[in-house]
């Protein structure tokens, strides 16, 4: 019998409860990563789940994990396959038990159940959240809003977050069983997916994938540059290094554990004093936590057009698809400079500020009138930090079918741009064609006016904004 440590979104070695669990079980250990082959298969709109920036981050994270495991004397087996079929077949030839992270998304839960029904013993270990399933602070029903959730979690000075464990001392490597898998290797597939994508010069901040880089950045962010000291004031900015923590991709792939980040912030508070900024970073981690437990509670409902069905009655059927609007979105040619700049940044870098994400989601849902799930899938393809719970939870929230008791949020793209990009710096950065225009000229383009100043190839807006949007101050 061997213990397969099946890595999914927990690509690290330090503070890794999966390895501790494997050490406790005592059998020889085989670390495994299965890249689910369906991630590369296009869905109905031609989008798959593995865009180029995301593939690059995953490739770097796996390379780093492989190096760290090999320093513990453990090889990392990597395959492209259907995880359920692969593990069941393997079990038939090589008796094994599996140690893996607690399931988050419904499809992860399905695979774990399928393995168990085939007689595989699976130990699920909490590795992705601050709280643990054995000590949740809400009595029985999951809170319907974030503020109720936060109040319960913060009661009595909480949350009490367990200290992450260090690296386990001794693990005996298992012999690698023979593999019959005709798919391309993980590295070959990721190289092909990554294609010619590389970090562009415009990407003023770019964190490579992997635990090593993530730990270094966390240290720099908190203790060297101390960017956290202005977090609450700058977190809504659109451009520049250190306006927000940029920890999302490392958290999404588990290069860092959220418990580790939480305790690092507490250490910062001990060293430099707690204030509204350090509290606010922990507050944002509670948003992540909220969406993670919500996904476990509501499961696949978050993927329905009508969402979670907690508050208002949502229409059961999605709006008619509008191919012209959708292509303009996908090409970042909506004709609204602020929207196009955000679309360009996301496509070029795989990252976008929280403010930018809120604006894009609101625009797609409330101004273009498209099915919110299209936008969520598009984000899933592009975002290096894609996280099922946070992405789908936030989209549903803005669409008014998630946890927002007010029934959805529209952000005026005009006012948002005027407030958050007062010098037009962000816009000119991502739209060089508009570089010589004044901010007022760009505003005229935004309202389909100002034909004189329109650069030749810049499109007219694909949608007229409501009159109320014209008032900007
Ligand atoms: C439509 C939409 C889609 C999103 N999709 C994702 C996603 O796929 N993955 C993802 O990690 N975040 C997602 N977010 C949340 C948020 O935009 C990003 O976490 C944040 O912009 C990442 O940058 P940062 O690490 O510098 O964030 P910081 O502001 O430094 O926040 C620190 C951490 O707190 C967490 N966090 C912050 N805001 C949120 C939030 N609103 N919801 C959940 N967690 C939050 C993240 O883990 C983040 O890394 C989405 C938000 C919106 C509006």
């Amino acid at each position: 019998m061997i213990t397969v440590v099946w890595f999914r979104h927990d690509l690290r070695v330090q503070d890794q409860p999966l390895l501790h669990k494997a050490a406790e079980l005592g059998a020889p250990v085989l670390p495994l990563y299965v890249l689910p082959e369906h991630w590369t298969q296009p869905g109905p709109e031609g989008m798959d789940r593995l865009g180029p920036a995301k593939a690059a981050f995953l490739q770097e994270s796996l390379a780093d994990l492989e190096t760290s495991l090999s320093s513990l004397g453990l090889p990392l087996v990597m395959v492209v396959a259907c995880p359920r079929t692969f593990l069941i077949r393997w079990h038939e030839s090589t008796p094994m038990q599996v140690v893996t992270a607690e399931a988050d998304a419904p499809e992860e839960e399905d695979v774990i159940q399928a393995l168990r029904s085939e007689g595989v013993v699976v130990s699920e270990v909490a590795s992705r959240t601050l709280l643990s399933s054995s000590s949740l602070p809400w009595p029985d029903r999951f809170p319907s809003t974030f503020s109720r959730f936060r109040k319960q979690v913060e009661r009595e000075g909480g949350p009490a977050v367990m200290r992450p464990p260090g690296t386990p001392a001794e693990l005996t490597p298992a012999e690698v069983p023979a593999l019959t898998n005709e798919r391309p290797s993980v590295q070959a597939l990721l190289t092909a997916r990554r294609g010619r994508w590389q970090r562009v010069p415009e990407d003023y901040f770019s964190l490579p994938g992997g635990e090593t880089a993530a730990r270094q950045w966390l240290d720099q962010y908190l203790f060297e540059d101390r960017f956290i000291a202005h977090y609450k004031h700058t977190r809504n900015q659109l451009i520049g290094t250190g306006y927000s923590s940029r920890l999302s991709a490392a958290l999404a792939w588990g290069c860092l554990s959220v418990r580790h980040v939480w305790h690092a912030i507490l250490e910062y508070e001990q060293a430099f004093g707690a204030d509204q900024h350090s509290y606010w970073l922990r507050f944002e981690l509670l948003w992540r936590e909220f969406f993670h437990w919500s996904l476990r509670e509501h499961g696949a409902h978050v993927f329905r057009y009508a969402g979670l069905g907690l508050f208002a009655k949502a229409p059961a059927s999605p709006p008619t698809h509008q191919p012209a609007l959708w292509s303009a979105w996908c090409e970042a040619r909506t004709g609204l400079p602020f929207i196009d700049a955000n679309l360009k940044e996301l496509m070029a870098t795989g990252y976008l500020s929280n403010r930018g994400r809120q604006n894009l989601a609101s625009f797609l849902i409330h101004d273009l009138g498209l099915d919110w799930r299209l936008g969520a899938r598009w984000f899933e393809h592009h975002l290096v930090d894609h996280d099922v719970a946070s992405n789908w939870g936030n989209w549903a929230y803005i669409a008014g079918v998630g946890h927002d008791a007010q029934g959805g949020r529209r952000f005026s793209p005009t006012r948002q741009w005027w407030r958050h990009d007062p010098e037009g710096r962000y816009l000119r950065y991502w739209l060089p064609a508009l570089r010589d225009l004044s901010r007022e000229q760009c505003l005229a383009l935004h309202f389909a006016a100002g034909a004189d100043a329109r650069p030749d190839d810049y499109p007219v807006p694909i949608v007229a904004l409501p009159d109320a949007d014209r008032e900007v101050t």
Side-chain angles (χ1 to χ4, degrees), residues 115-134:
L115 292 180
R116 288 196 173 124
S117 64
E118 293 294 322
V120 183
V121 175
V122 182
S123 304
E124 283 183 80
V125 180
S127 96
R128 303 195 64 193
T129 48
L130 292 168
L131 305 171
S132 42
S133 40
S134 56

Side-chain angles (χ1 to χ4, degrees), residues 221 231 235 243-249 251-252 258 280-281 283-289 291 351-359 361 379-380 383 385-392 394-395 398:
Y221 177 81
Y231 175 73
R235 57 177 282 274
Y243 66 82
S244 67
S245 75
R246 297 297 289 256
L247 290 168
S248 51
L251 286 169
V258 67
W280 214 262
L281 188 56
F283 177 95
E284 294 301 333
L285 291 175
L286 291 185
W287 267 106
R288 176 186 182 276
E289 192 72 11
F291 286 124
Y351 178 82
L352 191 64
S353 66
N354 183 55
R355 184 59 39 191
R357 295 179 205 210
Q358 287 176 326
N359 276 296
F379 269 33
E380 181 160 3
L383 281 175
D385 61 20
H386 180 259
D387 169 70
V388 179
S390 303
N391 185 46
W392 288 80
N394 271 291
W395 272 92
I398 293 173

Side-chain angles (χ1 to χ4, degrees), residues 31-82:
L32 170 72
Y33 180 79
V34 185
L35 198 156
E37 61 187 347
H38 65 272
W39 284 9
T40 62
Q41 287 153 5
E45 307 80 22
M47 280 179 288
D48 60 43
R49 298 200 204 170
L50 202 55
K54 196 171 167 184
F57 195 90
L58 175 58
Q59 188 175 43
E60 290 156 359
S61 301
L62 287 170
D64 190 58
L65 178 67
E66 194 172 24
T67 308
S68 308
L69 284 169
S70 93
S71 68
L72 298 177
L74 298 169
L76 174 64
V77 175
M78 294 189 260
V79 290
V80 179
C82 160

Side-chain angles (χ1 to χ4, degrees), residues 138-313:
W138 47 92
D140 42 353
R141 292 195 53 187
F142 181 73
S144 55
T145 63
F146 173 70
S147 43
R148 285 188 201 143
F149 168 86
R150 186 176 60 80
K151 277 185 198 135
Q152 299 201 3
V153 168
E154 288 185 336
R155 230 176 11 205
E156 295 166 23
V161 175
M162 266 190 339
R163 274 211 164 268
T167 318
E170 293 253 330
L171 288 161
T172 312
E175 255 181 53
V176 179
L179 289 170
T180 42
N181 190 25
E182 274 128 40
R183 319 289 193 296
S185 75
V186 168
Q187 289 302 345
L189 185 137
L190 290 173
T191 302
R193 292 253 122 196
R194 183 180 183 150
R196 282 194 295 254
W197 184 88
Q198 50 187 316
R199 293 186 172 84
V200 290
E202 288 87 352
D203 189 0
Y204 45 84
F205 177 92
S206 60
L207 184 65
E211 179 180 14
T212 310
R215 282 196 165 236
Q216 277 164 5
W217 167 244
L218 178 65
D219 208 48
Q220 183 182 340
Y221 177 81
L222 292 179
F223 298 103
E224 288 170 33
D225 295 337
R226 290 178 53 196
F227 288 128
I228 188 179
H230 51 63
Y231 175 73
K232 191 167 183 230
H233 292 158
T234 54
R235 57 177 282 274
N236 276 317
Q237 286 179 7
L238 307 172
I239 192 165
T241 301
Y243 66 82
S244 67
S245 75
R246 297 297 289 256
L247 290 168
S248 51
L251 286 169
W253 291 102
C255 306
L256 289 175
S257 82
V258 67
R259 290 180 185 175
H260 175 74
V261 173
W262 186 271
H263 278 281
I265 301 171
L266 295 183
E267 274 166 37
Y268 167 89
E269 290 180 334
Q270 283 221 317
F272 301 106
D275 60 12
Q276 54 171 331
H277 303 288
S278 59
Y279 169 73
W280 214 262
L281 188 56
R282 289 195 283 110
F283 177 95
E284 294 301 333
L285 291 175
L286 291 185
W287 267 106
R288 176 186 182 276
E289 192 72 11
F290 174 64
F291 286 124
H292 273 251
W293 290 104
S294 166
L295 181 61
R296 291 185 194 191
E297 175 77 16
H298 297 286
H301 283 189
V302 76
F303 306 125
R304 296 187 314 183
Y305 179 67
L308 309 182
L310 293 176
F311 304 105
K313 264 200 168 165

